[in-house]
Amino acid sequence: MKKSDRELGMGQNITRRDFIHDAGLAALSLSVPAGVVASGDPDSAGRYYPPTRTGLRGSHPGAFETAHELARDGRSFPAPQDLDEEYDLVVVGAGISGLAAAHYYQAKFGKNARILILENHDDFGGHAKRNEFHQGGQMRLALGGTHNLEHWKFSDTVNALMDDLGVDPKEMLRNQEFAYGRNGKNGPALWFDADTYGQDKLLTGCSLDEPDPERMVACLDEFPVSETARDQLKHFYTMRINLLEGKSDEEASAYLKGTAYVDFLRQHGGLGDEAIRLFDNAKHGGWGVETRSLSIAECVYEGMPGLNLLGKASVAEDRDYPVAFFPDGNASLARLQVHALIPAVAPGTNAGNIAVAKFDYTQLDRAGSPVRIRLNSTVVNATNIDSGVNSGVAVTYINNGQPLRVKARHCVMACYHSIIPHLCPDQPEAQKTAQKYQVKRPLLLTNVLIRSSDAMDKLGIAGVRCPGRMHASVFMFKGINTGGYQHKFADNGPVPLTFWGSISPPEDVVDLKDQMRASRATMLALTFEDYEREVRTVLKGLLGPAGFDMKRDILAITVNRWPHGYADDYLDLWTPEWPEGKAPHEIASKPFGNITMANADAGADAYTHVAIDEAYRAVQELA
Ligand SMILES: Cc1cc2nc3c(=O)[nH]c(=O)nc-3n(C[C@H](O)[C@H](O)[C@H](O)COP(=O)(O)OP(=O)(O)OC[C@H]3O[C@@H](n4cnc5c(N)ncnc54)[C@H](O)[C@@H]3O)c2cc1C
């Protein structure tokens, strides 16, 4: 289903996250100088505590192999061992949607409902992943996946859940010094790397979405590009035409949504290949795709230049993006959800101390607890059992290589939709086809804990765009003093740098879903060392001139790979118009016997609030 102009923010100053916008310990030991130990880390002290694991995280080794064997190789597993466990509800996936489903199930069927949540990762939260560092001597938090709350979009349902959990985004905003891009503490910056541009060059105060044409021209004078590309760019940023003149609103909308942004840059902006390449990865964070896959509307109404060709200023001046943050991203929200379901994980916890609360993972899966969360458990089958009043669902999962089976009255699929056809092969063909349609967008967040922010401070940067690198941008995440955590901007001690973006697919891959698959394949094929080399290359070129010491100053590296990242939100250039009720996500998320479908995929929109709304719907559909 296409988005309406209103949803697209036509005519408004809308922004998105775009402004920015177990190999683990072994890998860490390779990358961290001797003597740097995670002193306060419970996991390295022998307690199960995955948030402090470094190395390859997100989709970590051990998390996805079983699902790939099932979905890619068509593997069948030996007959499962029946566990003597019966539940009212089994939830597949302990992301924000799965955790919300458990909450709504309790609300509908009572607090004593027996609920089992199965999750293939070694941690709960799904994309809402906490990276916790102790290598600098004090706990430092970073977001490993889902960043923040776009609270102004919340439905009444989501607001009610936030109230229940004590989350007040407005209060959180009051405790945030951090902001993205132009509104951020140190403003925007662009970094050109030697491999791509022949020299390492940092331009502070410059961005590709600078609203003032004069300032932009001054920045462009410093760009390490050819004379031709620079002249083209200057002309593009300063011209004033109106390609929409004479077009009706409908015609204008059709043009903006139906034309590739790069064609617009080329044909009307007068840019050649070299200049256009500057924008290639600019929307990795915001949309999770190459700019070449986006329409004019998807770019210019979300901050990319070009409005000056449409009768307006070159980019919107006021691009506030007032998102609410926890210091570990929405992982703190997931922790609050888990705490509400299983209070024994962290007695005395609330939204005011959630970020610093100590979680006891041994409480997650206790016999006798009404809600149990079982990690490292990949569901491979869910079958409706129809035996009259005792009808229900048999759910098979693999834990530690062993196929195990439990039974439940109901099951909510809160996992990615593209895996559901393999878990429930008896669904109608149309439903399975619709579920497979959801090819998620790969995303990458590499957190590097550095010893001090001195080099960043000296350069006067807090966030940097890197048009030539794997990660499209780098952010210094401090100044988020929420959830009981304190890390003031003025503190120049250890700080996580977040390298954020995706992995570009080869240029000759045209189809959008093929691009996603190619990007995912590369993401999984790269080793930790490949990622480490990449971030080190950037740190050396970017911070080296300010005294950053490559040996001394890198304390830990955590690579959060999300091969199945953003839900497919139907990009303009790739999406036909579907009749009401016939869009793939609507067909995909129909109930199937005692099984209903949640996850952000069910709303075809990659947001936390969507994941929650879909969980609510999925539970209401259970008889
Ligand atoms: C890097 C990144 C940044 C993001 N930033 C934001 C943001 O700032 N704001 C925002 O609103 N949204 C953001 N999102 C979107 C995010 O997807 C949603 O906000 C939300 O976290 C999705 O929750 P979910 O429960 O629907 O899915 P997930 O978080 O994907 O949870 C589904 C869970 O099911 C598990 N699973 C899958 N298959 C199986 C199986 N067979 N057996 C057991 N478990 C299984 C998965 O491993 C996963 O843990 C971001 C996403 C990513 C990847």
Side-chain angles (χ1 to χ4, degrees), residues 36 54 67 133 147 150 198 212 220 313 506:
V36 177
T54 54
F133 295 102
H147 291 41
E150 296 204 0
D212 176 352
L220 284 167

Side-chain angles (χ1 to χ4, degrees), residues 198 225 527 578:
V225 295
T527 63
W578 285 292

